[in-house]
Amino acid sequence: MSLFKLCTVITSVQPSRERLGGFSNSTIGLFSGMITTDRVPNIQLTGTNNGLSMDDSNVVTEVDSKVKTKLLSMWNNVKYGWTIKVVKPNFSKESPVCLLGKIYRKKPEEFLEKASEADKTLDTGSEISLAMDAISFEDGIEEFKKDFTSRLWLTYRREFPILNGSTFTTDCGWGCMLRSGQMMLAQALVCHFLGREWRWQPDQPIKTEQQKLDEYNHRLIIKSFGDLPERTSPFSIHTLVSLGALWGKRAGDWYGPSSVAHLLSQAVENAVERHPAFNNLAVYVAQDCAVYLQDIENVCQTSDGKWKSLILFVPLRLGADKLNPVYTSCLTHLLTLDTCIGVIGGRPRHSLYFIGFQEDKLINLDPHYCQETVDVLKDNFSLTSFHCTSPRKMLISKMDPSCCVGFYFHNKMQFTNFMEIAPSYLVPEDEKIDYPMFLFCEGSGKDLHQKIEIAENIIPSTTSFTGNGTYDDDLDECEEFELVQ
């Protein structure tokens, strides 16, 4: 497409700030007041600058490059999903919303009225129970909002340092699966450093020592994903691309969920060796849908007998060309576990990070929005672009069968409990033959997979999530938090 045609396309789209909104009931957009509008500056090529003519070749080249970067960014935002077309919000008030092990319900008004009456007397056990049940509904969907906005949102970025061995200064159009994987790992780090109950409260002043510590850890996690070389940011896209190069992958190549799981595993292992903050973390990637217990013990148990916190990645293939519907309930059941850190996958040619569900739709964070790189080395760098205020929903039936489920276990007891309860979640309901999503096996996978060579594709290539196709908003929903009456 020529530059003139590209300008024509962009100018036909509403200004970004008019298109984007947040949780406000008065708008139907995505990120109101949150993301700065990209606008193409008016460039004057006549006139001088410090005595130099503006048609000087160096100046013109620089200006032309900046204009093209702006236009490309805006075009990517149109092409890869953040379009002006939105769907009417429809979070049902009858159905609970699940988000990474937390269940949220709309507070029934008539139920609260009865609870209020019961609170006046509290003469019977049933009235006390009624009042207590009502309290559990009190926050409901408002708490879901806080929980959702507290998850870390890692998207396409532009104008970051050149990726090694390439000319890329953006991951637009090819880095969506890497960004989805970063978000799943970020959730594990949030659980590790801050706890699952932590909530981001940007409007609340930091006063207590605990709040100061939480603020420090919040920024520490984001810095580790900054768009910088590995020494500063061990989980940056620069780091992941460098690790991918060891297996013949280059910047601009696309990755599948299994590939990203292995890259994240290696990145964590390297971070443990080089960054003291991560030395109590272990990571394991399941092999052929099997979790080998001896391997888990090998990576988690320290020389003094202690047990590290474990991040477990389980790459799965839940069907051939399409998701096998028998696994739908298994997938949603896993998302109800408080140890689950989500699922990376998406739909064909479009990677997403799934963190919850309501009814037959998965709630996700979408990396397909191109933002300017944030300098995370600056003091008090802005946190706003790392948090999203608008969840999207996608029909589970539209999900690509290739995915990776993640879990975080703070200690050995959590992992042991998971092994006890997980088998009932992994077998499809109403199936005569037990065929679980994955298994727990005694022994070591290395005994069965010795001397695996690079040629055997330890990190398989995939074209399923190229991120290079047009975006179909009919499959997605950009939601505000309004409830269907």
Side-chain angles (χ1 to χ4, degrees), residues 19 57 95 188 201 256:
R19 296 189 284 119
S57 60
S95 301
Q201 298 175 302

Side-chain angles (χ1 to χ4, degrees), residues 206-219:
I206 299 174
K207 296 180 179 179
T208 68
E209 290 301 317
Q210 185 60 50
Q211 289 174 332
K212 292 178 181 178
L213 179 60
D214 287 348
E215 173 74 2
Y216 172 81
N217 285 327
H218 183 196
R219 291 181 178 276

Side-chain angles (χ1 to χ4, degrees), residues 70-87:
K70 289 281 187 179
L71 292 175
L72 179 61
S73 173
M74 296 173 74
W75 171 242
N76 279 324
N77 289 337
V78 173
K79 184 177 180 182
Y80 296 119
W82 298 101
T83 66
I84 59 175
K85 183 178 179 182
V86 294
V87 181

Side-chain angles (χ1 to χ4, degrees), residues 156 171 173-181 350-351 367-368 465-467:
Y156 287 155
D171 60 317
W174 59 270
C176 57
M177 184 59 76
L178 294 174
R179 295 297 186 180
S180 296
H350 195 89
S351 173
H368 296 83
F465 296 94
T466 63

Side-chain angles (χ1 to χ4, degrees), residues 151-172:
R151 301 314 105 211
L152 293 187
W153 184 44
L154 303 173
T155 71
Y156 287 155
R157 296 281 175 171
R158 65 175 183 271
E159 299 175 8
F160 52 57
I162 294 176
L163 291 167
N164 291 340
S166 76
T167 59
F168 285 101
T169 59
T170 179
D171 60 317
C172 265

